[in-house]
Amino acid sequence: MPYLLDNIQRLVRDLKSEPLPALPGRLAAIVRPKLIRLWEEAAHRSRLGSLLARPYTGKGVVLMFHEVHSNVDAELRTGCGIGQTARIIRAVRAAGRDIVTIDEGLRRLAEPDSRPFALLTFDDGYLDNRDNALPLLEQAEAPMTIFVPTEMITREIYAWWLALREMVKSNDMVDVSAMERRFSCGDFASKAAAIRQVTLWVGTDQARAEALAPTFARYRMDIPALVDRYVMSEEQLRDFSRHPLVTVGGHTRSHRFLTGLDEADARAELQSNKSYLERLLDRPVDHVAYPYGSAGACGEREAALAAEAGFRTGFTTRPGHLFASHLEHRHLLPRIDIGYAPQSASALASRLNGLHRLLSAGFVHPVATLS
């Protein structure tokens, strides 16, 4: 209840500070996800959800996590808690899905009589994937794929999202000059909301992400130190990759929006990442996930470049399940963001049964590639 009251008060403050012409767009951004959550809840409590979801329920589902926190509130709910991760694994199994590797999933897609499956994927190479997620996966005998950008491991990356979180965590008032916005961050709800709003503002525009750099400098954010705190080192990743449940995939060199790069640079992002990981791990790296993964961050060009680089699959973040026809679109496979907190039972169910695609993308074709 205190969180709810804080959130309402924060929302009223934010709306008062919005310029009048911006209010309709801001209200729409607030209302749409809430309507989706209401639909999910109503569908979950009736037979309507399973009926609507049936055409959207595929043979496979790819679930996306990032960080798995021991204290999710301390990190402003920017990842998934350990308990929540365990619940997701149980829910996947209760839905009748086996948790398998990517290669096994592709094999099952090609066989009409094979059992339904789920793939568990984790992005960016966070230490807590090893410390918090792996013990759960060992208990469940569930394989995972971790998609790793080169510069996260070499500590060269511009991890603006880590700097943003640390800045908001550490300050009760934050001025983001690039946005011409001042955020009052005196309570948990306001801090979480500030992170959401800045992240939405960045969108898929690398220039906006880089425009945050002066603000980070003003608040003395040490990005390499943050990456060192949260992300595996070369030695740790090498050891982690030897675990029988772990597959390592690519995630580009610098985790930039590939669509914002010219073709030569986008090609280099993919090829150099694959080469780096294969040299480091002394094994093939066959799969890649595109940073951000939305329609604005990757498309047909990026799929072609991933294939050219030698990756056998490429994963987006378009919502949707896997169907046999995805074997013809192996470099534009859908993936569902499930590793966030808090998460209701209805939200989890709608992602596992396919209803989430219908609600978030509209009544579109069940097979997600570019849409």
Side-chain angles (χ1 to χ4, degrees):
M1 185 60 71
Y3 175 74
L4 177 61
L5 292 174
D6 285 346
N7 222 359
I8 292 171
Q9 291 170 354
R10 187 270 313 165
L11 181 58
V12 170
R13 285 198 308 269
D14 284 354
L15 291 177
K16 284 182 178 178
S17 67
E18 286 282 356
L20 194 58
L23 273 178
R26 179 84 175 92
L27 286 169
I30 293 168
V31 169
R32 188 171 185 274
K34 295 188 184 306
L35 288 176
I36 290 175
R37 285 196 288 272
L38 285 172
W39 266 102
E40 284 177 333
E41 189 64 34
H44 184 61
R45 294 174 180 271
S46 69
R47 293 188 61 228
L48 179 64
S50 58
L51 291 172
L52 289 174
R54 193 169 297 162
Y56 294 83
T57 305
K59 174 64 66 72
V61 60
V62 188
L63 305 182
M64 176 179 68
F65 300 81
H66 286 80
E67 295 168 281
V68 178
H69 298 137
S70 55
N71 185 342
V72 73
D73 283 352
E75 301 296 348
L76 302 182
R77 299 185 179 178
T78 51
C80 191
I82 295 173
Q84 181 178 318
T85 306
R87 286 194 296 276
I88 291 169
I89 293 171
R90 290 195 297 269
V92 167
R93 293 267 170 79
R97 295 186 180 276
D98 301 328
I99 300 173
V100 302
T101 64
I102 294 175
D103 290 341
E104 172 63 12
L106 293 174
R107 187 191 68 77
R108 291 193 185 195
L109 279 183
E111 296 182 0
D113 296 329
S114 60
R115 281 179 52 81
F117 66 90
L119 311 179
L120 304 185
T121 67
F122 296 75
D123 285 9
D124 298 341
Y126 293 107
L127 265 169
D128 57 35
N129 291 178
R130 182 198 67 179
D131 297 342
N132 296 336
L134 185 59
L136 299 175
L137 301 177
E138 288 175 328
Q139 291 171 17
E141 298 182 346
M144 68 175 292
T145 299
I146 182 168
F147 293 114
V148 183
T150 302
E151 292 183 0
M152 284 287 264
I153 306 304
T154 63
R155 306 315 195 230
E156 301 167 277
I157 200 161
Y158 174 55
W160 61 267
W161 56 95
L162 293 181
L164 172 63
R165 180 174 67 193
E166 187 67 19
M167 180 176 68
V168 171
K169 281 170 59 175
S170 307
N171 295 277
D172 289 341
M173 190 73 68
V174 171
D175 287 296
V176 181
S177 54
M179 294 178 68
E180 299 181 346
R181 286 284 305 273
R182 170 173 287 185
F183 293 93
S184 175
C185 307
D187 55 64
F188 178 87
S190 297
K191 289 180 183 292
I195 289 176
R196 285 195 303 271
Q197 289 174 44
V198 177
T199 302
L200 284 170
W201 176 79
V202 170
T204 56
D205 188 339
Q206 186 68 34
R208 286 187 168 185
E210 290 170 357
L212 297 173
T215 297
F216 297 148
R218 191 165 64 253
Y219 286 89
R220 301 180 184 277
M221 293 296 106
D222 185 341
I223 293 179
L226 289 170
V227 176
D228 208 40
R229 184 196 308 173
Y230 286 104
V231 179
M232 294 184 207
S233 66
E234 285 191 337
E235 183 178 356
Q236 288 166 332
L237 179 62
R238 190 185 296 113
D239 289 344
F240 189 59
S241 73
R242 297 187 183 116
H243 194 286
L245 292 176
V246 174
T247 298
V248 175
H251 204 36
T252 75
R253 179 177 59 205
S254 64
H255 201 278
R256 289 186 289 171
F257 303 103
L258 291 180
T259 49
L261 303 175
D262 64 32
E263 185 170 314
D265 286 343
R267 177 182 289 110
E269 283 279 333
L270 292 159
Q271 291 180 344
S272 66
N273 178 231
K274 189 175 194 296
S275 298
Y276 167 79
L277 291 172
E278 289 179 340
R279 286 195 305 271
L280 176 67
L281 308 177
D282 194 25
R283 65 191 62 196
V285 173
D286 294 328
H287 311 288
V288 67
Y290 309 107
Y292 309 100
S294 65
C298 60
E300 290 279 13
R301 185 193 73 167
E302 287 67 39
L305 292 174
E308 179 188 312
F311 292 110
R312 293 195 291 109
T313 63
F315 291 87
T316 72
T317 58
R318 276 77 156 179
H321 284 203
L322 291 177
F323 296 83
S325 55
H326 276 114
L327 292 172
E328 301 171 11
H329 305 277
R330 293 177 185 232
H331 293 88
L332 285 172
L333 298 176
R335 200 161 57 126
I336 298 172
D337 185 1
I338 206 161
Y340 61 89
Q343 185 182 74
S344 65
S346 59
L348 175 57
S350 79
R351 283 153 178 78
L352 294 181
N353 66 21
L355 182 66
H356 178 66
R357 173 162 172 79
L358 182 152
L359 295 175
S360 61
F363 286 76
V364 293
H365 196 276
V367 180
T369 53
L370 285 174
S371 59

